[in-house]
């Protein structure tokens, strides 16, 4: 089975989907992951290189199940970029997943 996980921010897949994806990986499923934004609006720490820090944390957190694709849309502005839908649509059409995991429609 091909499974595609789409997280809006770095750390979303790790926090909300990791257990399920790890179980699927262990049974032989193909796991694909997309992180839509760069995470630059995260203010847990005040660092000028927060985007790089969050990307590296995501790579390290997901390394046992795969390497995500990073779309690098500006954090907090995903809905302002009309082409974001087309980019995601292209990824979905390319991968042709059997299952897509992502946020709830009511997630901020």
């Amino acid at each position: 089975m091909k499974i595609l996980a789409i997280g809006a921010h770095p750390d979303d897949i790790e926090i909300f989907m990791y257990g399920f994806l790890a179980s699927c990986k262990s049974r032989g499923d193909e796991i694909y992951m997309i992180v839509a934004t760069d995470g630059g609006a995260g203010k847990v720490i005040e660092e000028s290189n927060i985007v790089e820090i969050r990307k590296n944390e995501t790579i390290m957190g997901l390394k046992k199940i795969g390497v995500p694709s990073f779309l690098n849309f500006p954090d907090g502005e995903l809905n302002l970029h009309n082409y974001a839908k087309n980019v995601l649509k292209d990824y979905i059409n390319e991968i042709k997943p059997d299952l897509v995991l992502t946020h709830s429609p009511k997630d901020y």
Side-chain angles (χ1 to χ4, degrees):
M1 177 184 282
K2 287 184 181 181
I3 300 171
L4 172 60
I6 303 172
H9 313 96
D11 77 14
D12 287 345
I13 295 173
E14 300 96 286
I15 292 170
F16 300 116
M17 304 172 209
Y18 187 88
F20 178 77
L21 293 172
S23 294
C24 293
K25 176 78 172 182
S26 71
R27 71 178 194 183
D29 293 325
E30 293 178 54
I31 307 299
Y32 299 86
M33 298 171 285
I34 296 172
V35 178
T37 68
D38 64 12
K43 299 296 180 199
V44 175
I45 57 174
E46 294 292 329
E47 294 285 338
S48 61
N49 61 339
I50 190 69
V51 169
E52 182 181 332
I53 289 170
R54 292 191 73 196
K55 181 177 183 177
N56 288 333
E57 289 173 344
T58 295
I59 291 168
M60 292 303 296
L62 296 173
K63 69 181 178 181
K64 290 187 178 180
I65 56 175
V67 178
S69 295
F70 292 88
L71 302 183
N72 296 314
F73 290 111
D75 195 358
E77 299 178 18
L78 191 56
N79 62 337
L80 302 177
H81 299 280
N82 292 328
Y83 60 89
K85 289 181 192 177
N86 291 330
V87 170
L88 287 168
K89 180 180 170 185
D90 289 346
Y91 268 88
I92 292 168
N93 287 333
E94 180 181 323
I95 294 167
K96 295 179 179 37
D98 299 298
L99 177 66
V100 176
L101 302 173
T102 192
H103 300 271
S104 161
K106 296 185 183 217
D107 192 350
Y108 70 95

Coordinates of all heavy atoms in Angstrom, one line a residue, residues 47-100:
E47 N 15.6 32.1 17.1 CA 16.9 31.8 16.3 C 16.7 32.3 14.9 O 15.6 32.2 14.3 CB 17.2 30.3 16.2 CG 17.5 29.7 17.6 CD 18.9 30.0 18.0 OE1 19.8 30.4 17.2 OE2 19.1 29.9 19.3
S48 N 17.7 32.9 14.3 CA 17.6 33.4 13.0 C 17.5 32.3 12.0 O 17.0 32.5 10.9 CB 18.8 34.3 12.7 OG 20.0 33.6 12.8
N49 N 18.0 31.1 12.3 CA 18.0 30.0 11.4 C 16.9 29.0 11.8 O 17.1 27.8 11.6 CB 19.4 29.3 11.3 CG 19.8 28.8 12.6 OD1 19.4 29.2 13.7 ND2 20.8 27.9 12.6
I50 N 15.8 29.4 12.3 CA 14.7 28.6 12.7 C 14.2 27.6 11.6 O 13.9 26.5 11.9 CB 13.5 29.4 13.4 CG1 12.5 28.4 14.1 CG2 12.8 30.2 12.3 CD1 13.0 27.8 15.3
V51 N 14.2 28.1 10.4 CA 13.7 27.2 9.3 C 14.7 26.0 9.2 O 14.2 24.9 9.1 CB 13.6 28.0 8.0 CG1 13.4 27.1 6.8 CG2 12.5 29.0 8.1
E52 N 15.9 26.3 9.2 CA 16.9 25.2 9.1 C 16.9 24.2 10.3 O 16.9 23.0 10.1 CB 18.3 25.8 8.9 CG 19.4 24.7 8.8 CD 20.8 25.3 8.7 OE1 20.9 26.5 8.2 OE2 21.7 24.6 9.0
I53 N 16.7 24.8 11.5 CA 16.6 24.0 12.7 C 15.4 23.0 12.6 O 15.5 21.8 12.8 CB 16.5 24.9 13.9 CG1 17.9 25.6 14.2 CG2 16.1 24.1 15.2 CD1 17.8 26.6 15.2
R54 N 14.2 23.6 12.3 CA 13.0 22.8 12.2 C 13.1 21.7 11.1 O 12.6 20.6 11.3 CB 11.8 23.7 12.0 CG 11.6 24.5 13.3 CD 10.3 25.2 13.3 NE 9.2 24.3 13.6 CZ 7.9 24.5 13.4 NH1 7.6 25.7 12.9 NH2 7.0 23.6 13.6
K55 N 13.7 22.1 10.0 CA 13.8 21.1 8.9 C 14.7 19.9 9.3 O 14.4 18.7 9.1 CB 14.4 21.7 7.6 CG 14.6 20.8 6.5 CD 15.1 21.5 5.2 CE 15.1 20.5 4.1 NZ 15.6 21.2 2.8
N56 N 15.8 20.2 10.0 CA 16.7 19.2 10.5 C 16.1 18.3 11.5 O 16.3 17.1 11.6 CB 18.0 19.8 11.0 CG 18.9 20.3 9.8 OD1 18.8 19.8 8.7 ND2 19.7 21.3 10.1
E57 N 15.3 19.0 12.4 CA 14.6 18.2 13.4 C 13.6 17.2 12.8 O 13.5 16.1 13.2 CB 13.9 19.1 14.4 CG 14.8 19.9 15.3 CD 14.0 20.9 16.2 OE1 12.9 21.3 15.8 OE2 14.6 21.4 17.2
T58 N 12.9 17.7 11.8 CA 12.0 16.8 11.1 C 12.7 15.7 10.4 O 12.2 14.5 10.5 CB 11.1 17.7 10.1 OG1 10.4 18.6 10.8 CG2 10.2 16.8 9.2
I59 N 13.7 15.9 9.7 CA 14.5 14.9 9.1 C 15.0 13.8 10.1 O 14.8 12.6 9.9 CB 15.7 15.4 8.3 CG1 15.2 16.2 7.1 CG2 16.7 14.3 7.8 CD1 16.2 17.1 6.4
M60 N 15.5 14.3 11.2 CA 16.0 13.4 12.3 C 14.8 12.6 12.9 O 14.9 11.4 13.1 CB 16.7 14.1 13.3 CG 18.0 14.7 12.9 SD 19.2 13.5 12.2 CE 19.5 12.5 13.7
G61 N 13.7 13.3 13.1 CA 12.5 12.6 13.7 C 11.9 11.6 12.8 O 11.2 10.6 13.3
L62 N 12.0 11.7 11.5 CA 11.3 10.8 10.6 C 12.2 9.8 9.9 O 11.8 9.0 9.1 CB 10.6 11.6 9.5 CG 9.5 12.5 10.0 CD1 8.9 13.4 8.8 CD2 8.3 11.7 10.6
K63 N 13.5 9.8 10.3 CA 14.5 9.0 9.5 C 14.2 7.5 9.5 O 14.6 6.9 8.6 CB 15.9 9.3 10.0 CG 16.2 8.8 11.4 CD 17.7 9.2 11.8 CE 17.9 8.7 13.2 NZ 19.3 9.1 13.6
K64 N 13.6 7.0 10.5 CA 13.3 5.6 10.5 C 12.2 5.2 9.6 O 12.0 4.0 9.2 CB 12.9 5.1 11.9 CG 14.1 5.1 12.8 CD 13.8 4.5 14.2 CE 15.1 4.5 15.0 NZ 14.9 3.9 16.3
I65 N 11.4 6.1 9.1 CA 10.3 5.8 8.2 C 10.5 6.4 6.8 O 9.8 6.0 5.9 CB 8.9 6.1 8.7 CG1 8.8 7.6 9.1 CG2 8.6 5.2 9.9 CD1 7.4 8.0 9.6
G66 N 11.4 7.3 6.6 CA 11.6 7.9 5.3 C 12.1 9.4 5.4 O 12.2 9.9 6.5
V67 N 12.3 10.0 4.3 CA 12.7 11.4 4.2 C 11.5 12.1 3.5 O 11.1 11.8 2.4 CB 14.0 11.5 3.3 CG1 14.4 13.0 3.2 CG2 15.1 10.7 4.0
P68 N 11.0 13.2 4.2 CA 9.9 13.9 3.6 C 10.4 14.9 2.5 O 11.6 15.3 2.4 CB 9.4 14.8 4.8 CG 10.6 14.9 5.7 CD 11.4 13.7 5.5
S69 N 9.5 15.2 1.6 CA 9.7 16.3 0.7 C 9.2 17.6 1.3 O 8.2 17.7 2.0 CB 8.8 16.1 -0.6 OG 9.2 14.9 -1.2
F70 N 10.0 18.6 1.2 CA 9.7 20.0 1.8 C 9.3 20.9 0.7 O 10.1 21.2 -0.3 CB 10.9 20.5 2.5 CG 11.3 19.7 3.8 CD1 12.1 18.6 3.7 CD2 10.8 20.1 5.0 CE1 12.5 17.9 4.8 CE2 11.1 19.4 6.1 CZ 11.9 18.3 6.0
L71 N 8.1 21.4 0.8 CA 7.6 22.4 -0.3 C 8.1 23.8 0.1 O 8.1 24.7 -0.8 CB 6.1 22.3 -0.4 CG 5.5 20.9 -0.7 CD1 4.0 21.0 -0.9 CD2 6.2 20.4 -2.0
N72 N 8.4 24.1 1.3 CA 8.9 25.4 1.7 C 8.0 26.6 1.5 O 8.5 27.7 1.2 CB 10.3 25.6 1.1 CG 11.3 24.6 1.6 OD1 11.3 24.3 2.8 ND2 12.0 24.0 0.8
F73 N 6.7 26.4 1.5 CA 5.8 27.6 1.4 C 6.0 28.4 2.7 O 6.3 27.8 3.8 CB 4.4 27.2 1.3 CG 4.1 26.6 -0.1 CD1 3.8 25.3 -0.2 CD2 4.1 27.4 -1.2 CE1 3.5 24.7 -1.5 CE2 3.8 26.9 -2.5 CZ 3.5 25.5 -2.6
P74 N 5.9 29.7 2.7 CA 6.1 30.5 3.9 C 5.1 30.1 5.0 O 3.9 29.9 4.7 CB 5.8 31.9 3.5 CG 6.1 31.9 2.0 CD 5.7 30.6 1.5
D75 N 5.6 29.8 6.2 CA 4.7 29.4 7.3 C 3.7 30.5 7.6 O 4.0 31.7 7.7 CB 5.6 29.2 8.5 CG 5.0 28.4 9.6 OD1 3.8 28.1 9.5 OD2 5.6 28.1 10.7
G76 N 2.5 30.1 7.8 CA 1.4 31.0 8.1 C 0.7 31.6 6.9 O -0.2 32.4 7.0
E77 N 1.2 31.3 5.7 CA 0.7 31.9 4.5 C 0.3 30.9 3.5 O 0.1 31.2 2.3 CB 1.8 32.8 3.9 CG 2.3 33.9 4.7 CD 3.4 34.8 4.1 OE1 3.5 34.7 2.8 OE2 4.0 35.5 4.8
L78 N 0.1 29.6 3.9 CA -0.2 28.6 3.0 C -1.5 28.9 2.2 O -1.6 28.6 1.0 CB -0.4 27.2 3.7 CG -0.5 26.0 2.9 CD1 0.7 25.9 1.9 CD2 -0.6 24.8 3.8
N79 N -2.5 29.4 2.9 CA -3.8 29.7 2.2 C -3.7 30.9 1.3 O -4.6 31.2 0.5 CB -4.9 29.9 3.2 CG -4.7 31.0 4.1 OD1 -3.5 31.4 4.3 ND2 -5.7 31.5 4.7
L80 N -2.6 31.7 1.3 CA -2.4 32.8 0.5 C -1.8 32.5 -0.9 O -1.8 33.3 -1.8 CB -1.5 33.9 1.2 CG -2.0 34.4 2.5 CD1 -1.0 35.4 3.1 CD2 -3.4 35.0 2.4
H81 N -1.3 31.3 -1.0 CA -0.7 30.9 -2.3 C -1.6 29.9 -3.0 O -1.6 28.7 -2.7 CB 0.7 30.3 -1.9 CG 1.6 31.2 -1.3 ND1 2.3 32.1 -1.9 CD2 1.9 31.3 0.0 CE1 3.1 32.8 -1.1 NE2 2.8 32.4 0.1
N82 N -2.3 30.4 -4.0 CA -3.2 29.6 -4.8 C -2.5 28.4 -5.5 O -3.1 27.4 -5.6 CB -3.9 30.4 -5.8 CG -4.9 31.4 -5.2 OD1 -5.4 31.1 -4.1 ND2 -5.0 32.6 -5.8
Y83 N -1.2 28.6 -5.8 CA -0.5 27.5 -6.5 C -0.2 26.4 -5.5 O 0.2 25.3 -6.0 CB 0.7 28.0 -7.2 CG 1.7 28.7 -6.4 CD1 2.7 28.0 -5.8 CD2 1.7 30.1 -6.2 CE1 3.7 28.6 -5.0 CE2 2.6 30.7 -5.4 CZ 3.6 30.0 -4.8 OH 4.5 30.6 -4.0
A84 N -0.3 26.6 -4.2 CA 0.0 25.5 -3.3 C -0.9 24.3 -3.5 O -0.4 23.1 -3.5 CB -0.2 26.0 -1.9
K85 N -2.2 24.5 -3.8 CA -3.1 23.4 -4.1 C -2.6 22.6 -5.4 O -2.7 21.4 -5.4 CB -4.5 23.9 -4.4 CG -5.2 24.4 -3.2 CD -6.6 24.9 -3.5 CE -7.2 25.7 -2.4 NZ -8.5 26.2 -2.8
N86 N -2.2 23.3 -6.4 CA -1.7 22.7 -7.6 C -0.4 21.8 -7.3 O -0.3 20.8 -7.9 CB -1.5 23.7 -8.7 CG -2.8 24.3 -9.2 OD1 -3.8 23.6 -9.2 ND2 -2.7 25.5 -9.7
V87 N 0.5 22.4 -6.5 CA 1.7 21.6 -6.2 C 1.3 20.4 -5.5 O 1.8 19.3 -5.8 CB 2.6 22.5 -5.4 CG1 3.8 21.7 -4.8 CG2 3.2 23.7 -6.2
L88 N 0.4 20.5 -4.5 CA 0.0 19.3 -3.7 C -0.7 18.3 -4.6 O -0.5 17.1 -4.6 CB -0.9 19.7 -2.5 CG -0.1 20.3 -1.4 CD1 -1.1 20.9 -0.4 CD2 0.8 19.3 -0.7
K89 N -1.5 18.8 -5.5 CA -2.3 17.9 -6.4 C -1.3 17.2 -7.3 O -1.4 16.0 -7.6 CB -3.2 18.8 -7.3 CG -4.0 18.0 -8.3 CD -4.9 18.9 -9.1 CE -5.6 18.2 -10.3 NZ -6.3 19.1 -11.1
D90 N -0.2 17.9 -7.8 CA 0.8 17.2 -8.7 C 1.5 16.1 -7.9 O 1.7 15.0 -8.5 CB 1.8 18.3 -9.2 CG 1.2 19.2 -10.2 OD1 0.1 18.9 -10.8 OD2 1.8 20.2 -10.5
Y91 N 1.8 16.4 -6.6 CA 2.5 15.3 -5.8 C 1.6 14.1 -5.7 O 2.0 13.0 -5.8 CB 2.8 15.9 -4.4 CG 4.2 16.4 -4.3 CD1 4.5 17.7 -4.6 CD2 5.3 15.6 -3.9 CE1 5.8 18.3 -4.5 CE2 6.6 16.1 -3.8 CZ 6.8 17.5 -4.1 OH 8.1 18.0 -4.0
I92 N 0.3 14.4 -5.4 CA -0.7 13.3 -5.2 C -0.8 12.5 -6.5 O -0.8 11.2 -6.5 CB -2.0 13.8 -4.7 CG1 -1.9 14.3 -3.3 CG2 -3.1 12.7 -4.8 CD1 -3.0 15.2 -2.8
N93 N -0.9 13.2 -7.6 CA -1.1 12.5 -8.9 C 0.2 11.7 -9.3 O 0.1 10.7 -9.9 CB -1.4 13.5 -10.0 CG -2.8 14.0 -9.9 OD1 -3.7 13.3 -9.4 ND2 -3.1 15.2 -10.4
E94 N 1.4 12.2 -8.9 CA 2.6 11.5 -9.2 C 2.7 10.2 -8.3 O 3.1 9.2 -8.8 CB 3.8 12.4 -8.9 CG 5.1 11.8 -9.2 CD 6.3 12.8 -8.9 OE1 6.1 14.0 -9.1 OE2 7.3 12.3 -8.4
I95 N 2.4 10.4 -7.0 CA 2.6 9.2 -6.1 C 1.5 8.2 -6.3 O 1.7 7.0 -6.1 CB 2.7 9.8 -4.6 CG1 4.0 10.6 -4.5 CG2 2.6 8.6 -3.6 CD1 4.0 11.4 -3.2
K96 N 0.3 8.7 -6.5 CA -0.9 7.8 -6.6 C -1.1 7.0 -5.3 O -1.1 5.7 -5.4 CB -0.8 6.9 -7.9 CG -0.9 7.7 -9.2 CD -0.8 6.8 -10.3 CE -0.9 7.5 -11.7 NZ -0.3 8.7 -11.9
P97 N -1.2 7.7 -4.2 CA -1.3 6.9 -2.9 C -2.7 6.2 -2.8 O -3.7 6.6 -3.4 CB -1.2 8.0 -1.9 CG -1.7 9.2 -2.6 CD -1.3 9.1 -4.0
D98 N -2.7 5.1 -2.0 CA -3.9 4.4 -1.7 C -4.6 5.1 -0.5 O -5.8 5.0 -0.3 CB -3.6 3.0 -1.3 CG -2.9 2.2 -2.4 OD1 -3.6 2.1 -3.5 OD2 -1.8 1.8 -2.3
L99 N -3.8 5.8 0.3 CA -4.3 6.5 1.5 C -3.5 7.8 1.7 O -2.3 7.8 1.6 CB -4.1 5.6 2.8 CG -4.5 6.2 4.1 CD1 -6.0 6.4 4.2 CD2 -4.0 5.2 5.2
V100 N -4.3 8.9 2.0 CA -3.7 10.2 2.3 C -4.0 10.5 3.7 O -5.2 10.5 4.1 CB -4.2 11.3 1.3 CG1 -3.6 12.6 1.7 CG2 -3.8 10.9 -0.1

